[in-house]
Amino acid sequence: MNGKVRIVALLVLLLALPAAPAPAADPPTVRLSASQAGTGGSVTVTGEGWRPRALLMILICGQSVPATGVTGGTNSCANADGRAATTDAEGRFSRKLPVAEPPVPCPCVVHIATVQGAPAEADAAFRVAGHAVEPLPADASGGRLAVLTDTRLDGSSSLLTWFGAPPSRTLVFTVGNVGTSAVRDPVFRVGTSHGVFAPEWQEQRWRGTIRPGGEARVELPVELAAGAHGGYTVSLTYGGKVMAEQPWDVGRPWGVTLFWVLVCLVVPAALFRAGLAAVDRVRPRPDRRRRGLRLPGLKPRPQARHAMSSTPPWFTPDAAAGAAGRLSAPHDEGPTSPRT
């Protein structure tokens, strides 16, 4: 009996022990076929550990190092010469990237980031031969921003939105600099997602400087596609971290529905009237010059009208004059017999 109690107690202790934390997923990696190349050349970029079937963006960016990432956002990258790549089922990819000079001086990196879904990025140091090299700004690392208030969406729908125009709002929030250096012109990423679909991200730069320990009110425009309706989620990220999420319930554009209902009613009616007019135009007309059938004892319509309008044969001018002179009753005009 004691053995069974010990076994039960041991099982209880094993179940009560905290589960071992799952090992953290390794960050995605990127490798380059060459660490330096001149403008007009190319470099092969390979990566592992990315999300399977993920769409990636590959760019050459200036004023950046792998330790700090792309501090200036995509404005410091050669966007026109960027390339897109899709990972395989194991999260690997390989893509040849043409070498182009970024709009800002080096140090430069080859920047890889996901386009949709959970944000992930990686950088590899790269030197563009012949391109200017300058030290990073003193505040390149910037401070650390944190959202101090709840986010909200300001604005309302207009009459055009009721007829299918793109819904738009303004994402308003307050951030504070909890770092030790000022943050100038921070670049935020605003994403919109619908249902189970991955968010679509868009970089937006806020113009201003946030001193250490200071705070600022940030307003970023958010716009959906034309005709969008239903439940959406607006996400805000900075420095690769999700800072806030705001739900957005978009009403259905009933004006579009009304328009199609009217089209379904008016177009068939117009086609029906046009068809009646066409049939009436092409149908054969009766020949008015053609005489109808003559039946015994009946006259054609024109002759009948002529007969009705003509003077009866027994009512002649002579007969009328005789009738007018004889006003008295008719009497015998013969010779009278002699009186006795």
Side-chain angles (χ1 to χ4, degrees):
M1 186 68 179
N2 294 334
K4 292 183 179 180
V5 173
R6 291 176 182 175
I7 293 175
V8 172
L10 182 60
L11 292 176
V12 172
L13 290 176
L14 291 176
L15 294 176
L17 291 176
D26 295 333
T29 60
V30 58
R31 297 191 306 273
L32 306 178
S33 60
S35 61
Q36 179 178 343
T39 304
S42 62
V43 60
T44 302
V45 184
T46 58
E48 296 179 354
W50 296 85
R51 190 171 66 252
R53 309 299 181 187
L55 180 62
L56 305 178
M57 175 183 60
I58 307 175
L59 299 170
I60 296 179
C61 304
Q63 279 189 351
S64 304
V65 293
T68 60
V70 182
T71 57
T74 56
N75 291 333
S76 61
C77 303
N79 298 311
D81 298 286
R83 292 293 183 268
T86 303
T87 60
D88 57 13
E90 298 180 358
R92 296 178 297 188
F93 74 93
S94 179
R95 190 74 162 86
K96 182 175 289 187
L97 177 67
V99 178
E101 294 185 3
V104 294
C106 283
C108 301
V109 297
V110 174
H111 179 69
I112 300 94
T114 55
V115 178
Q116 296 178 343
E121 57 184 19
D123 301 311
F126 184 73
R127 172 71 184 276
V128 180
H131 191 56
V133 179
E134 296 181 1
L136 294 175
D139 59 346
S141 59
R144 291 184 301 167
L145 298 181
V147 177
L148 303 180
T149 60
D150 294 337
T151 59
R152 70 176 188 272
L153 293 172
D154 287 350
S156 59
S157 301
S158 62
L159 182 61
L160 296 179
T161 306
W162 199 68
F163 283 95
S168 60
R169 294 289 189 276
T170 301
L171 182 64
V172 181
F173 57 95
T174 302
V175 295
N177 187 357
V178 296
T180 58
S181 58
V183 178
R184 291 186 176 88
D185 300 338
V187 178
F188 298 94
R189 296 184 71 193
V190 180
T192 55
S193 60
H194 178 54
V196 297
F197 295 97
E200 297 181 1
W201 299 98
Q202 182 181 6
E203 292 186 352
Q204 298 189 21
R205 180 183 295 275
W206 182 78
R207 299 291 181 179
T209 302
I210 306 176
R211 302 293 179 182
E215 61 182 40
R217 186 172 183 265
V218 181
E219 298 181 359
L220 302 176
V222 183
E223 185 175 281
L224 301 178
H229 62 277
Y232 283 80
T233 302
V234 180
S235 303
L236 176 70
T237 65
Y238 177 76
K241 298 180 180 179
V242 179
M243 303 180 68
E245 291 184 347
Q246 178 68 30
W248 184 7
D249 189 12
V250 184
R252 182 181 293 274
W254 291 107
V256 178
T257 305
L258 178 62
F259 170 78
W260 286 113
V261 170
L262 294 178
V263 167
C264 293
L265 294 177
V266 173
V267 171
L271 294 177
F272 178 74
R273 291 179 62 88
L276 290 180
V279 170
D280 185 68
R281 182 178 295 274
V282 301
R283 69 177 180 178
R285 299 289 182 177
D287 190 1
R288 296 182 177 180
R289 296 174 300 176
R290 186 175 55 188
R291 296 184 177 181
L293 297 177
R294 291 197 176 203
L295 297 178
L298 295 179
K299 296 181 179 181
R301 185 179 300 272
Q303 297 179 5
R305 291 180 179 178
H306 179 69
M308 293 177 62
S309 62
S310 61
T311 304
W314 60 84
F315 189 80
T316 60
D318 297 339
R326 189 174 55 242
L327 298 178
S328 59
H331 57 277
D332 191 6
E333 296 292 340
T336 57
S337 59
R339 291 183 180 181
T340 308

